[in-house]
mmCIF file of all heavy atoms in Angstrom:
data_model
loop_
_atom_site.group_PDB
_atom_site.id
_atom_site.type_symbol
_atom_site.label_atom_id
_atom_site.label_comp_id
_atom_site.label_asym_id
_atom_site.label_seq_id
_atom_site.Cartn_x
_atom_site.Cartn_y
_atom_site.Cartn_z
ATOM 1 N N ALA A 1 0.809 -1.193 -0.029
ATOM 2 C CA ALA A 1 0.001 -0.016 -0.003
ATOM 3 C C ALA A 1 0.871 1.258 -0.009
ATOM 4 O O ALA A 1 1.952 1.270 0.568
ATOM 5 C CB ALA A 1 -0.909 -0.010 1.186
ATOM 6 N N ASP A 2 0.409 2.286 -0.656
ATOM 7 C CA ASP A 2 1.125 3.572 -0.727
ATOM 8 C C ASP A 2 0.684 4.570 0.298
ATOM 9 O O ASP A 2 1.438 5.435 0.779
ATOM 10 C CB ASP A 2 0.912 4.215 -2.131
ATOM 11 C CG ASP A 2 1.374 3.283 -3.235
ATOM 12 O OD1 ASP A 2 2.597 3.114 -3.347
ATOM 13 O OD2 ASP A 2 0.516 2.799 -3.968
ATOM 14 N N VAL A 3 -0.606 4.441 0.767
ATOM 15 C CA VAL A 3 -1.172 5.369 1.704
ATOM 16 C C VAL A 3 -2.173 4.629 2.575
ATOM 17 O O VAL A 3 -2.796 3.635 2.102
ATOM 18 C CB VAL A 3 -1.921 6.552 1.004
ATOM 19 C CG1 VAL A 3 -2.575 7.462 2.030
ATOM 20 C CG2 VAL A 3 -0.999 7.369 0.142
ATOM 21 N N CYS A 4 -2.319 5.010 3.851
ATOM 22 C CA CYS A 4 -3.341 4.432 4.733
ATOM 23 C C CYS A 4 -4.306 5.585 5.063
ATOM 24 O O CYS A 4 -3.904 6.709 5.388
ATOM 25 C CB CYS A 4 -2.669 3.924 6.000
ATOM 26 S SG CYS A 4 -3.860 3.253 7.160
ATOM 27 N N ILE A 5 -5.592 5.278 5.031
ATOM 28 C CA ILE A 5 -6.649 6.217 5.419
ATOM 29 C C ILE A 5 -7.403 5.658 6.618
ATOM 30 O O ILE A 5 -7.957 4.548 6.564
ATOM 31 C CB ILE A 5 -7.653 6.510 4.320
ATOM 32 C CG1 ILE A 5 -6.929 7.134 3.120
ATOM 33 C CG2 ILE A 5 -8.766 7.448 4.789
ATOM 34 C CD1 ILE A 5 -7.841 7.442 1.915
ATOM 35 N N LEU A 6 -7.353 6.365 7.741
ATOM 36 C CA LEU A 6 -8.000 5.925 8.979
ATOM 37 C C LEU A 6 -9.250 6.738 9.240
ATOM 38 O O LEU A 6 -9.264 7.966 9.159
ATOM 39 C CB LEU A 6 -7.040 6.143 10.160
ATOM 40 C CG LEU A 6 -7.615 5.988 11.581
ATOM 41 C CD1 LEU A 6 -7.845 4.521 11.889
ATOM 42 C CD2 LEU A 6 -6.727 6.633 12.632
ATOM 43 N N GLU A 7 -10.338 6.036 9.529
ATOM 44 C CA GLU A 7 -11.600 6.660 9.970
ATOM 45 C C GLU A 7 -11.612 6.667 11.479
ATOM 46 O O GLU A 7 -11.646 5.600 12.086
ATOM 47 C CB GLU A 7 -12.802 5.992 9.426
ATOM 48 C CG GLU A 7 -12.826 5.806 7.910
ATOM 49 C CD GLU A 7 -12.688 7.153 7.197
ATOM 50 O OE1 GLU A 7 -13.258 8.154 7.659
ATOM 51 O OE2 GLU A 7 -11.936 7.154 6.186
ATOM 52 N N HIS A 8 -11.550 7.874 12.109
ATOM 53 C CA HIS A 8 -11.422 7.919 13.531
ATOM 54 C C HIS A 8 -12.705 8.444 14.164
ATOM 55 O O HIS A 8 -13.276 9.453 13.779
ATOM 56 C CB HIS A 8 -10.312 8.840 13.995
ATOM 57 C CG HIS A 8 -10.166 8.872 15.483
ATOM 58 N ND1 HIS A 8 -10.826 9.816 16.227
ATOM 59 C CD2 HIS A 8 -9.487 8.105 16.354
ATOM 60 C CE1 HIS A 8 -10.538 9.600 17.533
ATOM 61 N NE2 HIS A 8 -9.741 8.580 17.604
ATOM 62 N N GLU A 9 -13.134 7.713 15.174
ATOM 63 C CA GLU A 9 -14.299 8.105 16.026
ATOM 64 C C GLU A 9 -14.021 7.528 17.414
ATOM 65 O O GLU A 9 -13.621 6.359 17.554
ATOM 66 C CB GLU A 9 -15.591 7.502 15.448
ATOM 67 C CG GLU A 9 -16.802 7.677 16.385
ATOM 68 C CD GLU A 9 -17.237 9.135 16.470
ATOM 69 O OE1 GLU A 9 -18.041 9.581 15.637
ATOM 70 O OE2 GLU A 9 -16.769 9.807 17.393
ATOM 71 N N PHE A 10 -14.157 8.345 18.458
ATOM 72 C CA PHE A 10 -14.004 7.801 19.808
ATOM 73 C C PHE A 10 -15.042 6.714 20.030
ATOM 74 O O PHE A 10 -16.207 6.837 19.696
ATOM 75 C CB PHE A 10 -14.225 8.908 20.841
ATOM 76 C CG PHE A 10 -13.114 9.916 20.869
ATOM 77 C CD1 PHE A 10 -13.244 11.191 20.377
ATOM 78 C CD2 PHE A 10 -11.885 9.571 21.471
ATOM 79 C CE1 PHE A 10 -12.207 12.110 20.407
ATOM 80 C CE2 PHE A 10 -10.823 10.469 21.478
ATOM 81 C CZ PHE A 10 -10.980 11.744 20.976
ATOM 82 N N GLY A 11 -14.589 5.607 20.537
ATOM 83 C CA GLY A 11 -15.510 4.479 20.868
ATOM 84 C C GLY A 11 -15.375 3.293 19.967
ATOM 85 O O GLY A 11 -15.828 2.200 20.319
ATOM 86 N N ILE A 12 -14.710 3.430 18.809
ATOM 87 C CA ILE A 12 -14.616 2.234 17.951
ATOM 88 C C ILE A 12 -13.284 1.527 18.079
ATOM 89 O O ILE A 12 -13.133 0.395 17.583
ATOM 90 C CB ILE A 12 -14.916 2.600 16.465
ATOM 91 C CG1 ILE A 12 -13.802 3.501 15.880
ATOM 92 C CG2 ILE A 12 -16.271 3.287 16.293
ATOM 93 C CD1 ILE A 12 -13.944 3.744 14.399
ATOM 94 N N PHE A 13 -12.324 2.171 18.706
ATOM 95 C CA PHE A 13 -11.031 1.516 18.956
ATOM 96 C C PHE A 13 -10.906 1.140 20.432
ATOM 97 O O PHE A 13 -11.545 1.720 21.326
ATOM 98 C CB PHE A 13 -9.893 2.416 18.525
ATOM 99 C CG PHE A 13 -9.947 2.831 17.079
ATOM 100 C CD1 PHE A 13 -10.199 4.144 16.741
ATOM 101 C CD2 PHE A 13 -9.797 1.899 16.066
ATOM 102 C CE1 PHE A 13 -10.287 4.518 15.396
ATOM 103 C CE2 PHE A 13 -9.840 2.229 14.759
ATOM 104 C CZ PHE A 13 -10.115 3.580 14.410
ATOM 105 N N GLY A 14 -10.030 0.155 20.674
ATOM 106 C CA GLY A 14 -9.917 -0.392 22.033
ATOM 107 C C GLY A 14 -9.044 0.509 22.939
ATOM 108 O O GLY A 14 -8.388 1.415 22.534
ATOM 109 N N GLY A 15 -9.092 0.138 24.263
ATOM 110 C CA GLY A 15 -8.319 0.870 25.240
ATOM 111 C C GLY A 15 -8.988 2.136 25.633
ATOM 112 O O GLY A 15 -10.078 2.508 25.101
ATOM 113 N N GLN A 16 -8.394 2.844 26.593
ATOM 114 C CA GLN A 16 -8.917 4.076 27.129
ATOM 115 C C GLN A 16 -9.002 5.142 26.009
ATOM 116 O O GLN A 16 -7.991 5.531 25.490
ATOM 117 C CB GLN A 16 -8.065 4.520 28.229
ATOM 118 C CG GLN A 16 -8.632 5.587 29.166
ATOM 119 C CD GLN A 16 -7.688 5.871 30.294
ATOM 120 O OE1 GLN A 16 -6.503 6.148 30.129
ATOM 121 N NE2 GLN A 16 -8.177 5.782 31.518
ATOM 122 N N ASP A 17 -10.246 5.554 25.672
ATOM 123 C CA ASP A 17 -10.427 6.583 24.616
ATOM 124 C C ASP A 17 -9.793 6.180 23.285
ATOM 125 O O ASP A 17 -9.294 7.021 22.563
ATOM 126 C CB ASP A 17 -9.937 7.945 25.077
ATOM 127 C CG ASP A 17 -10.711 8.505 26.301
ATOM 128 O OD1 ASP A 17 -11.911 8.534 26.245
ATOM 129 O OD2 ASP A 17 -10.077 8.764 27.331
ATOM 130 N N GLY A 18 -9.803 4.871 22.989
ATOM 131 C CA GLY A 18 -9.304 4.388 21.683
ATOM 132 C C GLY A 18 -7.823 4.409 21.565
ATOM 133 O O GLY A 18 -7.282 4.479 20.436
ATOM 134 N N ILE A 19 -7.100 4.330 22.657
ATOM 135 C CA ILE A 19 -5.650 4.487 22.657
ATOM 136 C C ILE A 19 -4.934 3.343 21.923
ATOM 137 O O ILE A 19 -3.791 3.537 21.435
ATOM 138 C CB ILE A 19 -5.108 4.603 24.098
ATOM 139 C CG1 ILE A 19 -3.743 5.291 24.094
ATOM 140 C CG2 ILE A 19 -5.074 3.262 24.771
ATOM 141 C CD1 ILE A 19 -3.263 5.661 25.488
ATOM 142 N N TYR A 20 -5.564 2.222 21.732
ATOM 143 C CA TYR A 20 -4.927 1.061 21.059
ATOM 144 C C TYR A 20 -4.563 1.350 19.613
ATOM 145 O O TYR A 20 -3.706 0.692 19.023
ATOM 146 C CB TYR A 20 -5.789 -0.175 21.148
ATOM 147 C CG TYR A 20 -5.812 -0.867 22.450
ATOM 148 C CD1 TYR A 20 -6.605 -1.996 22.621
ATOM 149 C CD2 TYR A 20 -5.065 -0.414 23.527
ATOM 150 C CE1 TYR A 20 -6.665 -2.654 23.861
ATOM 151 C CE2 TYR A 20 -5.129 -1.046 24.743
ATOM 152 C CZ TYR A 20 -5.936 -2.188 24.890
ATOM 153 O OH TYR A 20 -5.970 -2.828 26.121
ATOM 154 N N ILE A 21 -5.204 2.390 19.010
ATOM 155 C CA ILE A 21 -4.884 2.656 17.617
ATOM 156 C C ILE A 21 -3.505 3.289 17.481
ATOM 157 O O ILE A 21 -2.881 3.202 16.420
ATOM 158 C CB ILE A 21 -5.973 3.569 16.983
ATOM 159 C CG1 ILE A 21 -5.857 3.588 15.475
ATOM 160 C CG2 ILE A 21 -5.887 4.983 17.550
ATOM 161 C CD1 ILE A 21 -6.078 2.258 14.797
ATOM 162 N N LEU A 22 -2.981 3.889 18.522
ATOM 163 C CA LEU A 22 -1.727 4.632 18.427
ATOM 164 C C LEU A 22 -0.535 3.756 18.106
ATOM 165 O O LEU A 22 0.273 4.086 17.209
ATOM 166 C CB LEU A 22 -1.441 5.451 19.711
ATOM 167 C CG LEU A 22 -2.440 6.592 19.968
ATOM 168 C CD1 LEU A 22 -2.001 7.369 21.202
ATOM 169 C CD2 LEU A 22 -2.515 7.554 18.776
ATOM 170 N N PRO A 23 -0.361 2.609 18.811
ATOM 171 C CA PRO A 23 0.812 1.745 18.408
ATOM 172 C C PRO A 23 0.734 1.256 16.969
ATOM 173 O O PRO A 23 1.763 1.118 16.340
ATOM 174 C CB PRO A 23 0.692 0.594 19.398
ATOM 175 C CG PRO A 23 -0.028 1.119 20.592
ATOM 176 C CD PRO A 23 -1.011 2.119 20.014
ATOM 177 N N LEU A 24 -0.483 1.037 16.472
ATOM 178 C CA LEU A 24 -0.581 0.645 15.049
ATOM 179 C C LEU A 24 -0.098 1.806 14.145
ATOM 180 O O LEU A 24 0.711 1.554 13.277
ATOM 181 C CB LEU A 24 -2.072 0.322 14.737
ATOM 182 C CG LEU A 24 -2.417 -0.212 13.362
ATOM 183 C CD1 LEU A 24 -3.822 -0.865 13.362
ATOM 184 C CD2 LEU A 24 -2.391 0.830 12.262
ATOM 185 N N LEU A 25 -0.600 2.988 14.441
ATOM 186 C CA LEU A 25 -0.226 4.113 13.543
ATOM 187 C C LEU A 25 1.269 4.419 13.611
ATOM 188 O O LEU A 25 1.864 4.757 12.571
ATOM 189 C CB LEU A 25 -1.000 5.355 13.921
ATOM 190 C CG LEU A 25 -2.564 5.246 13.890
ATOM 191 C CD1 LEU A 25 -3.208 6.573 14.234
ATOM 192 C CD2 LEU A 25 -2.996 4.768 12.527
ATOM 193 N N HIS A 26 1.855 4.262 14.769
ATOM 194 C CA HIS A 26 3.293 4.565 14.875
ATOM 195 C C HIS A 26 4.149 3.527 14.156
ATOM 196 O O HIS A 26 5.334 3.810 13.801
ATOM 197 C CB HIS A 26 3.716 4.625 16.351
ATOM 198 C CG HIS A 26 3.656 6.012 16.904
ATOM 199 N ND1 HIS A 26 4.682 6.937 16.693
ATOM 200 C CD2 HIS A 26 2.719 6.673 17.587
ATOM 201 C CE1 HIS A 26 4.353 8.056 17.303
ATOM 202 N NE2 HIS A 26 3.182 7.956 17.810
ATOM 203 N N ARG A 27 3.613 2.342 13.949
ATOM 204 C CA ARG A 27 4.344 1.286 13.272
ATOM 205 C C ARG A 27 4.210 1.326 11.721
ATOM 206 O O ARG A 27 4.864 0.634 11.009
ATOM 207 C CB ARG A 27 3.983 -0.072 13.813
ATOM 208 C CG ARG A 27 4.542 -0.368 15.174
ATOM 209 C CD ARG A 27 3.910 -1.629 15.794
ATOM 210 N NE ARG A 27 4.641 -2.087 16.953
ATOM 211 C CZ ARG A 27 4.524 -1.493 18.146
ATOM 212 N NH1 ARG A 27 3.719 -0.475 18.348
ATOM 213 N NH2 ARG A 27 5.220 -1.970 19.226
ATOM 214 N N LEU A 28 3.337 2.208 11.247
ATOM 215 C CA LEU A 28 3.109 2.284 9.829
ATOM 216 C C LEU A 28 4.406 2.852 9.103
ATOM 217 O O LEU A 28 5.006 3.775 9.580
ATOM 218 C CB LEU A 28 1.932 3.206 9.465
ATOM 219 C CG LEU A 28 0.528 2.681 9.811
ATOM 220 C CD1 LEU A 28 -0.502 3.728 9.400
ATOM 221 C CD2 LEU A 28 0.232 1.350 9.078
ATOM 222 N N LYS A 29 4.666 2.247 7.975
ATOM 223 C CA LYS A 29 5.834 2.714 7.158
ATOM 224 C C LYS A 29 5.381 3.394 5.885
ATOM 225 O O LYS A 29 6.128 3.537 4.933
ATOM 226 C CB LYS A 29 6.719 1.514 6.875
ATOM 227 C CG LYS A 29 7.353 0.930 8.148
ATOM 228 C CD LYS A 29 8.261 -0.250 7.832
ATOM 229 C CE LYS A 29 8.847 -0.825 9.164
ATOM 230 N NZ LYS A 29 9.651 -2.031 8.890
ATOM 231 N N ILE A 30 4.090 3.779 5.877
ATOM 232 C CA ILE A 30 3.569 4.532 4.737
ATOM 233 C C ILE A 30 2.854 5.759 5.304
ATOM 234 O O ILE A 30 2.462 5.811 6.483
ATOM 235 C CB ILE A 30 2.585 3.687 3.925
ATOM 236 C CG1 ILE A 30 1.431 3.127 4.780
ATOM 237 C CG2 ILE A 30 3.316 2.508 3.239
ATOM 238 C CD1 ILE A 30 0.376 2.439 3.967
ATOM 239 N N PRO A 31 2.625 6.786 4.435
ATOM 240 C CA PRO A 31 1.914 7.992 4.919
ATOM 241 C C PRO A 31 0.494 7.686 5.397
ATOM 242 O O PRO A 31 -0.159 6.771 4.916
ATOM 243 C CB PRO A 31 1.941 8.902 3.685
ATOM 244 C CG PRO A 31 3.043 8.391 2.836
ATOM 245 C CD PRO A 31 3.093 6.914 3.031
ATOM 246 N N LEU A 32 0.044 8.551 6.294
ATOM 247 C CA LEU A 32 -1.307 8.346 6.900
ATOM 248 C C LEU A 32 -2.187 9.577 6.679
ATOM 249 O O LEU A 32 -1.760 10.708 6.847
ATOM 250 C CB LEU A 32 -1.145 8.144 8.411
ATOM 251 C CG LEU A 32 -2.420 8.096 9.260
ATOM 252 C CD1 LEU A 32 -3.256 6.860 8.917
ATOM 253 C CD2 LEU A 32 -2.138 8.163 10.719
ATOM 254 N N ILE A 33 -3.411 9.360 6.288
ATOM 255 C CA ILE A 33 -4.475 10.333 6.271
ATOM 256 C C ILE A 33 -5.493 9.904 7.289
ATOM 257 O O ILE A 33 -5.904 8.729 7.280
ATOM 258 C CB ILE A 33 -5.114 10.467 4.868
ATOM 259 C CG1 ILE A 33 -4.098 10.928 3.807
ATOM 260 C CG2 ILE A 33 -6.298 11.379 4.889
ATOM 261 C CD1 ILE A 33 -4.617 10.819 2.405
ATOM 262 N N VAL A 34 -5.900 10.776 8.139
ATOM 263 C CA VAL A 34 -6.962 10.435 9.103
ATOM 264 C C VAL A 34 -8.170 11.334 8.909
ATOM 265 O O VAL A 34 -8.068 12.563 8.721
ATOM 266 C CB VAL A 34 -6.454 10.554 10.547
ATOM 267 C CG1 VAL A 34 -5.970 11.970 10.909
ATOM 268 C CG2 VAL A 34 -7.560 10.182 11.558
ATOM 269 N N THR A 35 -9.357 10.703 8.823
ATOM 270 C CA THR A 35 -10.632 11.459 8.794
ATOM 271 C C THR A 35 -11.213 11.477 10.202
ATOM 272 O O THR A 35 -11.441 10.414 10.765
ATOM 273 C CB THR A 35 -11.617 10.800 7.805
ATOM 274 O OG1 THR A 35 -11.024 10.592 6.530
ATOM 275 C CG2 THR A 35 -12.868 11.628 7.673
ATOM 276 N N LEU A 36 -11.435 12.671 10.722
ATOM 277 C CA LEU A 36 -11.947 12.799 12.046
ATOM 278 C C LEU A 36 -13.458 13.001 12.012
ATOM 279 O O LEU A 36 -13.961 13.998 11.482
ATOM 280 C CB LEU A 36 -11.293 13.984 12.795
ATOM 281 C CG LEU A 36 -9.781 13.921 12.946
ATOM 282 C CD1 LEU A 36 -9.282 15.168 13.676
ATOM 283 C CD2 LEU A 36 -9.363 12.683 13.745
ATOM 284 N N HIS A 37 -14.187 12.026 12.556
ATOM 285 C CA HIS A 37 -15.643 12.129 12.571
ATOM 286 C C HIS A 37 -16.151 12.837 13.816
ATOM 287 O O HIS A 37 -17.328 13.213 13.884
ATOM 288 C CB HIS A 37 -16.252 10.741 12.442
ATOM 289 C CG HIS A 37 -16.022 10.113 11.099
ATOM 290 N ND1 HIS A 37 -16.961 10.092 10.111
ATOM 291 C CD2 HIS A 37 -14.941 9.468 10.650
ATOM 292 C CE1 HIS A 37 -16.466 9.512 9.039
ATOM 293 N NE2 HIS A 37 -15.260 9.082 9.349
ATOM 294 N N THR A 38 -15.303 13.012 14.812
ATOM 295 C CA THR A 38 -15.646 13.768 15.984
ATOM 296 C C THR A 38 -14.405 14.621 16.351
ATOM 297 O O THR A 38 -13.302 14.093 16.430
ATOM 298 C CB THR A 38 -16.020 12.845 17.186
ATOM 299 O OG1 THR A 38 -17.194 12.147 16.869
ATOM 300 C CG2 THR A 38 -16.267 13.696 18.434
ATOM 301 N N VAL A 39 -14.648 15.899 16.642
ATOM 302 C CA VAL A 39 -13.619 16.747 17.180
ATOM 303 C C VAL A 39 -14.239 17.431 18.445
ATOM 304 O O VAL A 39 -15.193 18.188 18.309
ATOM 305 C CB VAL A 39 -13.153 17.824 16.202
ATOM 306 C CG1 VAL A 39 -12.082 18.713 16.812
ATOM 307 C CG2 VAL A 39 -12.629 17.169 14.917
ATOM 308 N N LEU A 40 -13.699 17.129 19.590
ATOM 309 C CA LEU A 40 -14.281 17.646 20.838
ATOM 310 C C LEU A 40 -13.714 19.004 21.217
ATOM 311 O O LEU A 40 -12.496 19.218 21.181
ATOM 312 C CB LEU A 40 -14.035 16.653 21.987
ATOM 313 C CG LEU A 40 -14.615 15.219 21.775
ATOM 314 C CD1 LEU A 40 -14.139 14.338 22.874
ATOM 315 C CD2 LEU A 40 -16.087 15.272 21.661
ATOM 316 N N LYS A 41 -14.600 19.911 21.567
ATOM 317 C CA LYS A 41 -14.165 21.247 21.965
ATOM 318 C C LYS A 41 -13.539 21.269 23.343
ATOM 319 O O LYS A 41 -12.579 22.006 23.592
ATOM 320 C CB LYS A 41 -15.341 22.245 21.935
ATOM 321 C CG LYS A 41 -15.006 23.661 22.130
ATOM 322 C CD LYS A 41 -16.197 24.545 21.962
ATOM 323 C CE LYS A 41 -15.843 26.050 22.067
ATOM 324 N NZ LYS A 41 -17.074 26.860 21.871
ATOM 325 N N THR A 42 -14.058 20.442 24.262
ATOM 326 C CA THR A 42 -13.548 20.344 25.616
ATOM 327 C C THR A 42 -13.195 18.864 25.903
ATOM 328 O O THR A 42 -13.937 18.199 26.641
ATOM 329 C CB THR A 42 -14.504 20.936 26.640
ATOM 330 O OG1 THR A 42 -15.812 20.265 26.501
ATOM 331 C CG2 THR A 42 -14.679 22.414 26.487
ATOM 332 N N PRO A 43 -12.134 18.329 25.295
ATOM 333 C CA PRO A 43 -11.833 16.911 25.506
ATOM 334 C C PRO A 43 -11.279 16.682 26.924
ATOM 335 O O PRO A 43 -10.806 17.578 27.567
ATOM 336 C CB PRO A 43 -10.753 16.660 24.475
ATOM 337 C CG PRO A 43 -10.067 18.007 24.329
ATOM 338 C CD PRO A 43 -11.145 19.006 24.476
ATOM 339 N N SER A 44 -11.418 15.438 27.356
ATOM 340 C CA SER A 44 -10.749 15.022 28.625
ATOM 341 C C SER A 44 -9.236 14.994 28.358
ATOM 342 O O SER A 44 -8.796 15.082 27.169
ATOM 343 C CB SER A 44 -11.253 13.622 29.062
ATOM 344 O OG SER A 44 -10.776 12.645 28.138
ATOM 345 N N TYR A 45 -8.490 14.765 29.436
ATOM 346 C CA TYR A 45 -7.030 14.702 29.309
ATOM 347 C C TYR A 45 -6.638 13.617 28.282
ATOM 348 O O TYR A 45 -5.863 13.808 27.408
ATOM 349 C CB TYR A 45 -6.447 14.422 30.629
ATOM 350 C CG TYR A 45 -4.926 14.225 30.630
ATOM 351 C CD1 TYR A 45 -4.086 15.289 30.859
ATOM 352 C CD2 TYR A 45 -4.365 12.956 30.432
ATOM 353 C CE1 TYR A 45 -2.705 15.108 30.891
ATOM 354 C CE2 TYR A 45 -2.997 12.761 30.412
ATOM 355 C CZ TYR A 45 -2.171 13.847 30.641
ATOM 356 O OH TYR A 45 -0.828 13.633 30.651
ATOM 357 N N ASN A 46 -7.192 12.401 28.448
ATOM 358 C CA ASN A 46 -6.872 11.289 27.590
ATOM 359 C C ASN A 46 -7.349 11.468 26.160
ATOM 360 O O ASN A 46 -6.657 11.144 25.191
ATOM 361 C CB ASN A 46 -7.434 10.013 28.148
ATOM 362 C CG ASN A 46 -6.618 9.502 29.350
ATOM 363 O OD1 ASN A 46 -5.409 9.548 29.346
ATOM 364 N ND2 ASN A 46 -7.322 9.032 30.372
ATOM 365 N N GLN A 47 -8.558 12.007 26.032
ATOM 366 C CA GLN A 47 -9.063 12.262 24.653
ATOM 367 C C GLN A 47 -8.186 13.256 23.905
ATOM 368 O O GLN A 47 -7.866 13.037 22.729
ATOM 369 C CB GLN A 47 -10.487 12.809 24.749
ATOM 370 C CG GLN A 47 -11.524 11.769 25.145
ATOM 371 C CD GLN A 47 -12.854 12.377 25.510
ATOM 372 O OE1 GLN A 47 -12.935 13.558 25.847
ATOM 373 N NE2 GLN A 47 -13.906 11.603 25.418
ATOM 374 N N LYS A 48 -7.752 14.304 24.607
ATOM 375 C CA LYS A 48 -6.865 15.249 23.923
ATOM 376 C C LYS A 48 -5.512 14.647 23.598
ATOM 377 O O LYS A 48 -4.961 14.877 22.502
ATOM 378 C CB LYS A 48 -6.719 16.488 24.826
ATOM 379 C CG LYS A 48 -5.914 17.585 24.159
ATOM 380 C CD LYS A 48 -5.845 18.823 25.034
ATOM 381 C CE LYS A 48 -5.056 19.943 24.330
ATOM 382 N NZ LYS A 48 -4.991 21.168 25.204
#
């Protein structure tokens, strides 16, 4: 693959506030585009 596109929404990924997606993204060796379906104005510490 040349590019990865991630659909992000709080609640669909595992761990606290979907934190399990981060190790996956950090291990990617191709560019990443993320589509944010939720952007919180006052996020919690972990969400931010």
Side-chain angles (χ1 to χ4, degrees):
D2 301 291
V3 177
C4 179
I5 299 179
L6 170 74
E7 304 306 320
H8 182 270
E9 172 71 88
F10 288 106
I12 67 174
F13 301 112
Q16 195 176 54
D17 297 306
I19 201 169
Y20 284 179
I21 194 63
L22 293 183
L24 185 163
L25 301 183
H26 267 278
R27 285 169 168 79
L28 289 179
K29 297 179 180 178
I30 58 175
L32 172 69
I33 297 171
V34 57
T35 306
L36 299 179
H37 292 263
T38 296
V39 180
L40 300 174
K41 188 175 183 179
T42 54
S44 69
Y45 176 93
N46 284 319
Q47 288 168 336
K48 185 175 182 181

